[in-house]
Amino acid sequence: MNMPSNSLNPPELTLGIKLQQINWGLVLLLTLIASVGFAMLYSAANGSWTPWAMRQAIRFGIGLVITLGIALIDLRFLMRWSYGFYFLSLGLLGVVEIAGEIGMGAQRWIDLGVFRLQPSELMKLALVLALARYFHRQTYEEVGRISSLFVPLVLVFAPAVLVLRQPDLGTAGMIILGGGAMFFLAGVRIWKFVTILVLGLSAIPIGWQFLHNYQKNRILTFLNPENDPLGAGYHILQSKIALGSGGLFGKGFLQGSQSHLNFLPEKQTDFIFTMLAEELGLAGAMFLILLYALALGYGFAIALRCSSQFGRLLALGTTTTLFLYVFINIAMVMGLIPVVGVPLPLISYGGTAMLTAMIGFGLVINCYVHRDIAIGRQGFEDED
């Protein structure tokens, strides 16, 4: 049963109606994408479900329950508690600063026993929720005022500064990019983006002095990876070799030489797309990109169906954030941008990465389920 999208007074959504309204086509796409990830993790372990594929499948199953649970929550409830989720995530970033677990030279995780939580990943979605609520209450004229942008700028840069201290330049950049996308979607004028871009480019010589040595090496390696082929440039050079060797149809499942001979680093996480392209070729890589395009297309289409500004901004912002994950990871392994620690959603191995993706898609599906609910500027139905 489908509710008419143009209904002025839609009936109260019961649990049964909400379950029928869930976009099961998107759920199927997510399952297909995750299944590709299971297969790649199985291959990364040389034909074994342990240690990665089985755990990832279990996490996806739990994540799917979380996704459906989030989809059933009243959209107005999410709006009411969006700032609370933001400040909770900000508080967790503060906990990382004080007592976070150190790994791979960075202090980014909180050890919860069952798995390690990376609060900076959750902050990307918390920021979208907070900005969606803030801009929902602003008129187009108010968004055009510089004074109205002070609060959302603080919401963006407060977590970005904390993440930079971990240090995690890639995630901080994603937080700023995601925040910038929300500003654009909310109607902030283009000339303000141009001004910030010019100021940002002008500040590069100053900002360079504050980068850690390994961050400077990443940028220099991106510009010329052949300069240190056995050191800083090793990862990206091996990734390019694996991508090129895959050809059109790949070397075959479980037959990737670069990955299975351990030339390819982090094959189960950041560089899993490279392993897929080596084994399944350009055809396999394009198939996965097509699945992502369909899933993201669902997200943008859902945003256009929403009756409320909060729902539109939430669906658009969340989908754009997930797009940034996909784009940055694939561009990174192809050498188009510097190497940063950005996982490929539903494919890369990792508990927090899986949880973040499933929460994100849960929010998008929630916007679809509640697409006909009109929300006033104070967060109540039909208040306007």
Side-chain angles (χ1 to χ4, degrees):
M1 182 175 90
N2 289 322
M3 294 167 49
S5 60
N6 61 347
S7 174
L8 296 177
N9 295 293
E12 186 66 27
L13 294 177
T14 64
L15 179 60
I17 292 176
K18 288 183 178 182
L19 287 172
Q20 293 179 37
Q21 291 295 309
I22 287 176
N23 194 313
W24 295 106
L26 180 54
V27 173
L28 175 61
L29 271 175
L30 300 182
T31 304
L32 288 175
I33 294 172
S35 297
V36 173
F38 305 153
M40 287 299 101
L41 291 173
Y42 177 84
S43 176
N46 296 313
S48 173
W49 284 99
T50 57
W52 301 311
M54 182 60 70
R55 290 182 181 178
Q56 188 82 337
I58 294 173
R59 288 169 176 169
F60 176 75
I62 296 172
L64 193 56
V65 173
I66 294 174
T67 295
L68 297 178
I70 291 175
L72 299 177
I73 298 174
D74 193 302
L75 185 64
R76 291 160 292 187
F77 179 86
L78 289 178
M79 179 176 175
R80 192 172 295 117
W81 289 97
S82 55
Y83 287 153
F85 184 39
Y86 172 86
F87 285 111
L88 174 62
S89 300
L90 193 65
L92 290 174
L93 285 177
V95 172
V96 170
E97 184 74 16
I98 299 171
E101 183 177 342
I102 298 176
M104 298 180 69
Q107 189 169 328
R108 303 174 186 172
W109 295 273
I110 299 175
D111 190 354
L112 299 178
V114 180
F115 72 101
R116 295 191 306 169
L117 177 68
Q118 189 174 350
S120 57
E121 292 294 317
L122 296 179
M123 174 51 73
K124 297 169 188 174
L125 298 179
L127 179 62
V128 171
L129 275 164
L131 291 177
R133 173 172 176 175
Y134 179 85
F135 285 120
H136 171 83
R137 297 188 175 191
Q138 304 291 308
T139 64
Y140 183 73
E141 290 73 20
E142 288 172 332
V143 172
R145 299 173 190 163
I146 294 180
S147 58
S148 297
L149 301 182
F150 176 75
V151 171
L153 282 173
V154 171
L155 291 175
V156 172
F157 283 100
V161 170
L162 287 176
V163 171
L164 277 174
R165 288 181 55 83
Q166 294 181 359
D168 189 349
L169 181 61
T171 300
M174 274 202 65
I175 288 174
I176 294 173
L177 283 175
M182 288 295 292
F183 277 58
F184 176 78
L185 295 169
V188 174
R189 312 305 187 262
I190 295 295
W191 69 266
K192 295 174 183 176
F193 289 97
V194 175
T195 302
I196 292 175
L197 179 61
V198 171
L199 292 175
L201 292 175
S202 303
I204 287 178
I206 300 175
W208 180 263
Q209 306 302 319
F210 293 93
L211 294 179
H212 293 265
N213 288 332
Y214 81 91
Q215 293 170 336
K216 293 179 180 179
N217 287 336
R218 282 183 177 179
I219 296 174
L220 293 174
T221 300
F222 163 69
L223 297 174
N224 185 18
E226 288 80 10
N227 189 48
D228 187 10
L230 298 179
Y234 179 81
H235 288 189
I236 190 61
L237 287 175
Q238 293 300 321
S239 179
K240 288 181 177 180
I241 291 172
L243 285 168
S245 65
L248 184 58
F249 296 108
K251 296 181 176 179
F253 187 57
L254 298 173
Q255 301 301 315
S257 57
Q258 295 298 114
S259 55
H260 291 287
L261 294 177
N262 295 322
F263 289 107
L264 185 65
E266 302 297 331
K267 58 186 177 182
Q268 79 278 13
T269 54
D270 293 349
F271 286 86
I272 194 167
F273 182 81
T274 302
M275 188 180 72
L276 181 147
E278 182 186 27
E279 295 192 357
L280 305 181
L282 179 63
M286 292 305 297
F287 175 72
L288 178 60
I289 291 175
L290 175 61
L291 292 179
Y292 276 128
L294 290 173
L296 296 172
Y298 263 108
F300 289 121
I302 287 170
L304 298 178
R305 293 283 307 278
C306 288
S307 299
S308 67
Q309 175 74 340
F310 176 74
R312 280 192 296 271
L313 289 175
L314 179 58
L316 284 171
T318 304
T319 304
T320 301
T321 298
L322 294 168
F323 164 77
L324 287 173
Y325 271 99
V326 176
F327 174 78
I328 291 176
N329 179 274
I330 294 177
M332 172 189 75
V333 302
M334 294 176 67
L336 300 178
I337 62 173
V339 174
V340 291
V342 175
L344 192 59
L346 304 178
I347 302 292
S348 295
Y349 178 77
T352 305
M354 176 65 75
L355 179 64
T356 302
M358 298 308 286
I359 291 176
F361 282 112
L363 293 174
V364 172
I365 297 174
N366 181 288
C367 293
Y368 181 78
V369 171
H370 300 89
R371 61 192 181 278
D372 294 315
I373 299 296
I375 304 178
R377 297 202 179 277
Q378 300 304 315
F380 300 100
E381 185 177 356
D382 295 326
E383 187 181 272
D384 289 343

